Amino acid sequence: MNDTVVPIGKSKKFSAPQPVDIREAWNIVRDGIQEILSENPQLTFLPEDVYSECVNERATLFMSPIGFLVLSTEIDQFTGNKTLLIWIAYTYEQGKHNWIDHYKWFDQVAKALGCSFIEARSSVPEMEEYALANGWQLDTKVYVREVINDG
């Protein structure tokens, strides 16, 4: 993969994220995941679940000077198509679309893994407009309602 990718609409280059053993970066990653979870209480996983997925090679941690990513792949049970899932994207400086700007790097990773699609999930309303303006398509919205046990 290329060492640098020029982001959409920006003239600066960034260092391509590199795969890192989560055991070597656990203190940094755990704190970032905990921050994401505290800002998104609907998420059900724990930092230790992310650790387990990475150690057991079902997900991969990538790090760069701007933050870290945890990527995994999903296979559509009906078509067999593979999707690169951007499971976690954490930036040290929030609000600048730092990860989504680097679509060429994501394309390279997806192609290397034999994926047909790239997927990102977010509850951040501002991301929708930005993503749609930059080549992403809205696939679905999920609505959840808690079942109240009256008895």
Side-chain angles (χ1 to χ4, degrees), residues 15 21 35 71 87 96 104 110 114 122 130 142:
S15 299
D21 185 329
E35 184 177 332
L71 306 179
W87 180 20
K96 298 195 185 277
K104 288 184 181 179
S122 177
Y130 185 82
V142 177

Side-chain angles (χ1 to χ4, degrees), residues 98-137:
N98 283 319
W99 289 120
I100 200 168
D101 280 342
H102 306 295
Y103 69 95
K104 288 184 181 179
W105 182 82
F106 287 109
D107 284 349
Q108 291 170 1
V109 173
K111 287 176 188 173
L113 295 173
C115 294
S116 301
F117 303 98
I118 301 171
E119 181 176 311
R121 301 171 187 164
S122 177
S123 63
V124 177
E126 297 81 9
M127 185 170 164
E128 182 175 338
E129 180 181 347
Y130 185 82
L132 293 174
N134 286 284
W136 294 75
Q137 296 175 352

